[in-house]
Amino acid sequence: MSYGSLPFWQNFCNGYNRRQEPSLQKDYVYFTLLHGHALGPSVAKPYLEPEPTEWRGPHPDNLEFRQPSRRLICERYRSRRGTLQSPLAPLLSSSAPTSMLMKTGSWARGATRIYDERSSLLDSSERLHVVTEPVSEPSPIMATPELGPQPSTPAPAPEIHQSINDAMARRIVRKIDWRIIPLLFTTYLFNFMDKTILSSAAVFGLKNDNHLVGQQYSWVSSVFYFGYFFWTYPTTLLIARVPVGKYIAINTFFWGAVVALTAACSSYGGLITVRFLLGVAEATITPALMFITSTWYTRDEVPVRTGIWFAGNSIGGIVSSLLAYGLGHIAETDKVGPWRAMFILLGGATFIWGFVIFFLLPDSISKAKFLTPEERQWAGDRVVIAGTGSTDKTVWKWDQMLECLSDPKTWLIWSITILCQIPNGGTQNFANLVIVSFGFTSLQSTLINIPYSLITAGFIFGTGWLAGRFRSLNCILAACIVIPPVVGSALIGKRGSIPHGASLFGYFCLSTGPAALPLILSLVQTNFRGVTKKMTMTAMVFIAYCAGNIAGPQLFKASEAPLYGTAFQAIMICYALVICLALVLRFYLQFMNTRRVKEEGVDGSAGTSGAVGGGKVLDITDGRPVMEVVNEVQLRPEDYEDVTDWKTFGFRYRL
């Protein structure tokens, strides 16, 4: 969209009037100019006086507010095209008296810059000339009723951050990585082990000792996600409101205790109860880890860090397989038995880990004692500039929740998530039973899951790195990563008529499927701005996660054991639909980026949070460190406000 187009200027004045300046809310003035004419009051008035709301403008020098009774800044536009032809031409000419400027009616209350010489939208021959005139006493013309009372004190000046060099910036990021990522990784490792140890326990006597028949084992698997579903939305509300580090620690204490108590179960009812409570306990973990990641890291860093801690999922699978193999040698005639020993050991370790989280995981950047005050300031500023905004001191906003529900990308991501998790719910809980059907023993089935988990971890980390390195690959990677599971599920579905070796190869093809979820979580963290909007989307993702994992085990019908033909046909269809929807999502995000470029008149960036420092739209290109961008921008109080992606000028979506 060009500088001289009407939609650009309509968007321009609409956006600027929504900029909130607490001490000067009634001093809005807009002179919206085109190359050959200006917008008159009849055109501009609808855009000039709505209720003040949050907005982010495109450039620090585009807009200035002044108290007209103390100082008047008059901008005069000099056009190479000659005299401006509009009702405002006399007022905007270089000879117009200052007093006339204030006589334009209730829609004009001061003066503002439009674009200065640094704007790329003006060429070298089109400059703005600034004339500053002190007003000694108001004239009758200037003392109009529309001006209203002037504030007695100016807006507070923002805190100035200290510039740092590249070495110091890298050192700060390294300190953050070494404190935050190991905690998140290990927490997610326990999260996965405690959730999936049920699959190993099933082949070591759990089904017989608890007298499970028919579909009861499937319901024991599914009920975990009923508890998860029950607590998902309430916990997302709490995550943004309470000290998140302490909240995760308390959940971990409860979760460890529930896992250990599973060993005391001797009936279907007992297993159903503890599995439901375990779902409630673990519902907090992944949303909280997503919140922490987007709190500490930039948009380019989020996919890589998410991939690292999500890989704890797969490493947890390796550890649980080795643990099950070792404890599986305990005789089933022993009082404790192998499956009970698994739950006691994992539950106790998880409970102890809760103390580590309590003392080492900071609640926010501002409370991170392992950083100096200057480092905390810089760490916070880098996320405001190159992340998705500050998460400190935010409140729940219903308008952001409604915006999330009306956003098309919300439902595309939701659909992709549920289709990914239907296969996941079944394969996680029936993996060992399926492997045994290939002709392996119970102990061998636990070892076969080790290479499966290694493949999954490698793909999670690799795709996370690629998604962070290239801003347009996320959706394509999500589509490509589920192609092998389509092939694998087709092979396993036909294993009655093919060699066991081909079936085992098909099983390993399924291992890349879990890598799709961290890519989807990265899209949520990087493409949703506004704490309430992001946490609402997070809750919806995990509602879909629960629904898929509830449905998945039910597809494994006891009457079809050990082939489970229906289950693997459904897995193939689900992953095929994921491929289609991931491509649709990419085309939609690309369309939105193109439309926003036309409406806003600037390219914007998918590597930063949008306009900051009064409106600068910056970009972090290859070879340019975040440190340089943070040093060159002076943030203002409004940059720390909680604003959504729809209302952020210059915000572009990662594809």
Side-chain angles (χ1 to χ4, degrees):
M1 182 173 294
S2 68
Y3 169 73
S5 64
L6 179 61
F8 173 85
W9 285 106
Q10 288 177 333
N11 183 72
F12 178 84
C13 61
N14 185 36
Y16 277 164
N17 191 56
R18 286 176 164 78
R19 184 189 181 89
Q20 187 177 18
E21 295 283 343
S23 66
L24 297 168
Q25 288 180 356
K26 294 186 178 181
D27 289 342
Y28 295 116
V29 159
Y30 306 98
F31 289 145
T32 54
L33 307 177
L34 301 180
H35 272 290
H37 63 281
L39 297 176
S42 62
V43 177
K45 187 176 177 66
Y47 298 94
L48 296 177
E49 292 179 314
E51 289 296 321
T53 57
E54 295 163 330
W55 182 262
R56 305 188 47 118
H59 198 280
D61 291 324
N62 291 347
L63 184 62
E64 288 191 4
F65 293 98
R66 290 293 185 272
Q67 300 175 30
S69 62
R70 298 181 180 180
R71 179 178 295 273
L72 182 64
I73 295 182
C74 178
E75 299 288 0
R76 290 179 170 80
Y77 180 78
R78 300 181 182 274
S79 173
R80 62 182 174 180
R81 299 193 178 188
T83 306
L84 300 176
Q85 301 299 320
S86 78
L88 295 183
L91 302 177
L92 298 167
S93 66
S94 59
S95 60
T98 302
S99 59
M100 286 187 66
L101 186 64
M102 304 307 300
K103 197 179 179 183
T104 56
S106 62
W107 64 277
R109 294 189 177 96
T112 179
R113 288 182 177 179
I114 304 303
Y115 272 82
D116 68 356
E117 62 273 14
R118 285 177 291 177
S119 173
S120 61
L121 300 177
L122 291 177
D123 62 31
S124 60
S125 64
E126 296 173 325
R127 297 291 186 239
L128 294 173
H129 179 64
V130 181
V131 179
T132 304
E133 297 180 13
V135 181
S136 57
E137 57 184 42
S139 67
I141 293 178
M142 292 182 67
T144 57
E146 294 83 356
L147 288 174
Q150 302 303 321
S152 57
T153 58
E159 183 179 352
I160 299 176
H161 67 76
Q162 181 181 0
S163 296
I164 65 172
N165 57 38
D166 186 54
M168 187 180 297
R170 292 177 184 275
R171 183 173 61 82
I172 295 172
V173 174
R174 238 183 351 258
K175 287 175 69 174
I176 294 171
D177 282 341
W178 281 106
R179 171 57 67 91
I180 302 298
I181 296 300
L183 293 173
L184 304 191
F185 176 88
T186 308
T187 301
Y188 216 61
L189 181 144
F190 279 114
N191 176 273
F192 187 81
M193 286 196 300
D194 292 345
K195 179 170 56 180
T196 60
I197 195 66
L198 181 71
S199 179
S200 297
V203 298
F204 285 107
L206 178 139
K207 293 178 70 174
N208 293 331
D209 290 350
N210 287 273
H211 315 293
L212 303 183
V213 295
Q215 289 292 106
Q216 287 184 338
Y217 176 72
S218 294
W219 281 111
V220 169
S221 302
S222 295
V223 77
F224 170 91
Y225 296 99
F226 281 102
Y228 206 115
F229 181 90
F230 167 76
W231 191 240
T232 289
Y233 197 71
T235 199
T236 56
L237 299 181
L238 290 172
I239 287 168
R241 294 187 173 198
V242 301
V244 67
K246 305 300 182 291
Y247 184 52
I248 293 177
I250 292 170
N251 270 275
T252 305
F253 292 139
F254 177 60
W255 146 33
V258 170
V259 172
L261 285 173
T262 306
C265 294
S266 59
S267 66
Y268 173 64
L271 279 178
I272 285 285
T273 302
V274 294
R275 290 289 292 178
F276 179 87
L277 293 175
L278 183 61
V280 171
E282 293 196 17
T284 298
I285 303 305
T286 311
L289 267 54
M290 291 174 62
F291 179 81
I292 291 170
T293 307
S294 59
T295 296
W296 285 89
Y297 292 102
T298 67
R299 296 179 74 191
D300 286 337
E301 295 167 346
V302 162
V304 180
R305 269 62 177 190
T306 300
I308 293 173
W309 61 254
F310 200 94
N313 224 330
S314 302
I315 304 303
I318 296 171
V319 175
S320 62
S321 294
L322 292 172
L323 180 68
Y325 181 78
L327 297 177
H329 287 84
I330 298 175
E332 293 190 18
T333 56
D334 188 88
K335 287 185 178 180
V336 176
W339 73 267
R340 288 191 174 90
M342 295 176 193
F343 285 106
I344 291 172
L345 185 60
L346 283 178
T350 301
F351 190 89
I352 293 171
W353 181 250
F355 289 100
V356 178
I357 297 174
F358 187 88
F359 291 109
L360 295 183
L361 184 62
D363 296 316
S364 63
I365 294 177
S366 61
K367 296 179 181 179
K369 295 181 180 179
F370 68 94
L371 298 176
T372 66
E374 294 77 16
E375 290 172 342
R376 289 196 292 268
Q377 178 66 34
W378 186 84
D381 288 351
R382 68 191 288 270
V383 177
V384 171
I385 294 169
T388 53
S390 174
T391 59
D392 282 355
K393 300 177 182 178
T394 55
V395 296
W396 189 262
K397 298 183 178 181
W398 291 104
D399 61 319
Q400 289 193 15
M401 186 190 77
L402 295 175
E403 181 179 313
C404 180
L405 296 176
S406 62
D407 193 333
K409 68 178 181 289
T410 295
W411 299 104
L412 285 170
I413 291 175
W414 187 90
S415 301
I416 292 171
T417 303
I418 194 171
L419 289 170
C420 283
Q421 294 311 300
I422 289 174
N424 183 71
T427 55
Q428 271 189 2
N429 294 288
F430 285 83
N432 290 72
L433 296 175
V434 171
I435 294 172
V436 169
S437 74
F438 295 161
F440 297 99
T441 66
S442 296
L443 283 173
Q444 289 172 336
S445 70
T446 61
L447 293 178
I448 287 173
N449 274 320
I450 294 176
Y452 182 100
S453 298
L454 283 172
I455 295 170
T456 303
F459 273 91
I460 288 174
F461 181 78
T463 54
W465 182 86
L466 289 171
R469 179 68 179 79
F470 303 100
R471 298 170 186 169
S472 60
L473 274 187
N474 207 308
C475 293
I476 293 176
L477 288 170
C480 292
I481 207 73
V482 297
I483 293 176
V486 173
V487 176
S489 55
L491 289 174
I492 297 175
K494 296 292 184 181
R495 70 183 181 278
S497 57
I498 61 176
H500 285 323
S503 299
L504 185 61
F505 173 77
Y507 177 75
F508 285 124
C509 285
L510 296 177
S511 63
T512 66
L517 184 59
L519 291 171
I520 298 304
L521 299 184
S522 296
L523 282 175
V524 173
Q525 294 172 88
T526 57
N527 281 347
F528 285 79
R529 206 179 187 286
V531 172
T532 302
K533 183 175 183 179
K534 183 183 296 183
M535 296 312 292
T536 300
M537 183 66 244
T538 301
M540 293 184 64
V541 163
F542 286 99
I543 287 172
Y545 172 85
C546 294
N549 280 281
I550 289 170
Q554 304 308 315
L555 297 173
F556 286 77
K557 299 179 180 179
S559 59
E560 295 183 354
L563 298 180
Y564 301 113
T566 300
F568 287 100
Q569 287 177 9
I571 289 171
M572 182 175 62
I573 293 171
C574 287
Y575 279 133
L577 290 174
V578 167
I579 296 171
C580 298
L581 288 179
L583 296 177
V584 171
L585 176 61
R586 188 186 192 282
F587 287 129
Y588 171 75
L589 294 175
Q590 192 169 26
F591 165 76
M592 289 300 298
N593 283 347
T594 303
R595 191 174 79 171
R596 290 180 66 133
V597 168
K598 291 180 179 179
E599 290 177 349
E600 296 173 352
V602 295
D603 289 337
S605 173
T608 60
S609 64
V612 292
K616 285 185 178 178
V617 180
L618 304 165
D619 193 11
I620 301 174
T621 56
D622 294 343
R624 188 187 189 200
V626 177
M627 174 270 303
E628 290 184 8
V629 179
V630 176
N631 286 342
E632 75 180 43
V633 176
Q634 178 57 55
L635 294 176
R636 300 185 180 184
E638 63 268 21
D639 293 324
Y640 295 90
E641 294 172 357
D642 184 18
V643 187
T644 66
D645 49 280
W646 278 12
K647 298 177 182 177
T648 301
F649 191 97
F651 188 91
R652 300 293 178 264
Y653 299 112
R654 299 178 73 94
L655 307 178

